[in-house]
Amino acid sequence: QKEVEQDPGPLSVPEGAIVSLNCTYSNSAFQYFMWYRQYSRKGPELLMYTYSSGNKEDGRFTAQVDKSSKYISLFIRDSQPSDSATYLCAMRYSGGYQKVTFGIGTKLQVIP
Amino acid sequence: NAGVTQTPKFQVLKTGQSMTLQCAQDMNHNSMYWYRQDPGMGLRLIYYSASEGTTDKGEVPNGYNVSRLNKREFSLRLESAAPSQTSVYFCASTQEVSNQETQYFGPGTRLLVL
């Protein structure tokens, strides 16, 4: 079993929809949770960074962490065609700067 | 401010050939990383360098060597390329501010080993 599970998709939604992307994990030591966006043939870029459980909002993006269920989510409101990309979840434990575990990524397509 | 740059963008090698992937960052970051990304596998850490003069193995170091030439540059060398090393390679550097880590990735090098 992988430490981090993520559905690869693809996920297709109409423009304006609310998108929900999710990851589950098995290592309860993970404390820091990240979401990256990766456009085709580009490097990943950090979208959201959260510590422990709770919600964090940044514009149209909301990250949720439920440590009791070992489940993290990224919500995208009012999705745009420019949001079409692969979204990677990632996580690490406290002090483990060198050990970030990534999900395989979910490919999202927002249809105009 | 170019961020993280990688060269080359694309390379084709024959089995047994060697090559060096170059990476440089202009953000004065201490930590630098090399990852490979394969379909269905996600990003996997090959080597990292926590600071100038230090390097350590990551999850998949076999077949690779690295050099942290100075604070800016971190190169990855394949001594004898194998088809299993066909992948997209990403270099990254990390900024740590107030216990928040931000990784900045380069644009990647696509490597095909025949």
Side-chain angles (χ1 to χ4, degrees), chain A residues 85-101:
Chain A
T86 297
Y87 290 80
L88 310 172
C89 65
M91 46 200 78
R92 67 170 178 87
Y93 45 83
S94 181
Y97 291 116
Q98 289 75 32
K99 180 68 173 82
V100 177
T101 302

Side-chain angles (χ1 to χ4, degrees), chain B residues 4 25-32 49-52 68 70-72 92-96 102-104:
Chain B
V4 179
Q25 53 91 9
D26 60 2
M27 296 173 283
N28 203 35
H29 293 168
N30 287 321
S31 301
M32 297 185 73
S49 171
S51 61
E52 184 179 353
R68 184 73 182 268
N70 47 55
K71 193 170 186 179
R72 289 188 64 250
S93 68
T94 298
Q95 177 183 44
E96 297 148 16
T102 303
Q103 275 195 321
Y104 295 87

